[in-house]
Amino acid sequence: MNMKTRMRISGFAVFALFSATALADGLDGNRYGQDRQYHSEISAAQTYIALQHYLWPYDPAQRQPMTIIDVRTIEEYIGGHPPAAYSIPYPHVFNRGKDPNKGEYIAQPNAEFVKAVDALGLPKDSLIVTVCRTGSRSIGASNLLAAAGYTNVRNMWDGFVGLTRKNTLGEELDLNNDGKVDGKDPYSGDLDGWANFQGLPIEMRLDNQRLFAPYASLYHTAKGER
């Protein structure tokens, strides 16, 4: 098999996966059944494919622009995030669990979240993917951006960590096939998010250009978590 044939097959496989995930994402709603004003849902796998089209083409003219907005807290972002994701927390900037041992709880006002996204200077019709831990906080963030005029906002419904999945009988599935279902360990392979069962790349490096500027110092002092 020559190189050109392999490239055609590879391209077809990517197209097929992209199409299949688009159909599987649940265009009629998110996993939490919350009101949706944004464009649609997107899976972690489909987001990863879109990211490749943004990061890797040799010819800049062939790159397909997209932006990942990670709305988890600062400490969650420190614990690992999708490559090239911007950290713009919502609705909690720090200490989501309000644990007094971690320090002050910091909330994120709706207007300040939208203002921070606006500061990126993105076209209103550009692809924006929001991601949180399990796909819940990102729904609210996506709705705010849609209300602000962004027309191509997608919510990553399975999130960075994810949740367990169930079969038609309501039984939790052993996604990683290790003989047990563990839905409590934030690193469990039975959780269906970006970093867990999906096993997609995790970035630990902090790019100062992608951090939430008003609390930039916290990224270098807080303890990371998932």
Side-chain angles (χ1 to χ4, degrees):
M1 184 183 297
N2 60 35
M3 179 63 71
K4 183 177 292 186
T5 301
R6 285 199 297 269
M7 289 178 65
R8 286 175 178 170
I9 292 176
S10 176
F12 177 78
V14 168
F15 174 78
L17 178 57
F18 196 97
S19 301
T21 53
L23 293 174
D25 281 345
L27 297 179
D28 292 329
N30 49 69
R31 77 188 311 168
Y32 284 93
Q34 296 182 29
D35 176 58
R36 189 192 79 208
Q37 300 173 24
Y38 50 90
H39 183 285
S40 58
E41 311 304 315
I42 189 170
S43 69
Q46 189 180 3
T47 301
Y48 175 70
I49 292 172
L51 185 63
Q52 305 316 295
H53 288 281
Y54 167 64
L55 292 176
W56 296 117
Y58 289 111
D59 181 1
Q62 298 300 314
R63 293 175 185 167
Q64 300 176 17
M66 62 94 68
T67 304
I68 300 177
I69 305 294
D70 191 329
V71 305
R72 295 174 302 148
T73 60
I74 287 175
E75 61 269 34
E76 290 175 292
Y77 186 85
I78 294 170
H81 50 272
Y86 284 88
S87 175
I88 305 180
Y90 179 82
H92 322 287
V93 173
F94 181 72
N95 197 3
R96 174 175 62 95
K98 301 182 181 180
D99 180 355
N101 296 317
K102 288 176 59 176
E104 178 187 4
Y105 168 73
I106 304 174
Q108 176 75 285
N110 293 356
E112 291 302 309
F113 171 74
V114 174
K115 180 180 177 181
V117 175
D118 285 343
L120 299 180
L122 305 173
K124 291 291 187 177
D125 62 350
S126 63
L127 173 59
I128 299 175
V129 177
T130 60
V131 57
C132 67
R133 190 175 190 270
T134 66
S136 177
R137 283 172 279 171
S138 52
I139 295 171
S142 294
N143 281 337
L144 285 177
L145 295 181
Y150 292 93
T151 61
N152 195 13
V153 181
R154 317 292 179 96
N155 169 55
M156 190 193 297
W157 63 265
D158 35 8
F160 186 77
V161 173
L163 298 172
T164 56
R165 293 195 184 186
K166 297 181 180 180
N167 60 22
T168 56
L169 299 177
E171 302 166 330
E172 291 186 325
L173 296 175
D174 179 12
L175 293 182
N176 62 359
N177 197 32
D178 66 353
K180 60 181 180 180
V181 177
D182 187 351
K184 295 183 179 180
D185 180 358
Y187 294 88
S188 171
D190 293 320
L191 299 173
D192 62 3
W194 174 289
N196 291 40
F197 176 70
Q198 300 284 342
L200 297 173
I202 300 171
E203 179 65 70
M204 303 297 293
R205 184 177 63 89
L206 297 177
D207 180 348
N208 289 330
Q209 299 300 313
R210 298 181 183 276
L211 306 183
F212 185 51
Y215 293 95
S217 62
L218 266 180
Y219 291 88
H220 303 287
T221 58
K223 181 180 180 182
E225 63 181 48
R226 181 175 287 185

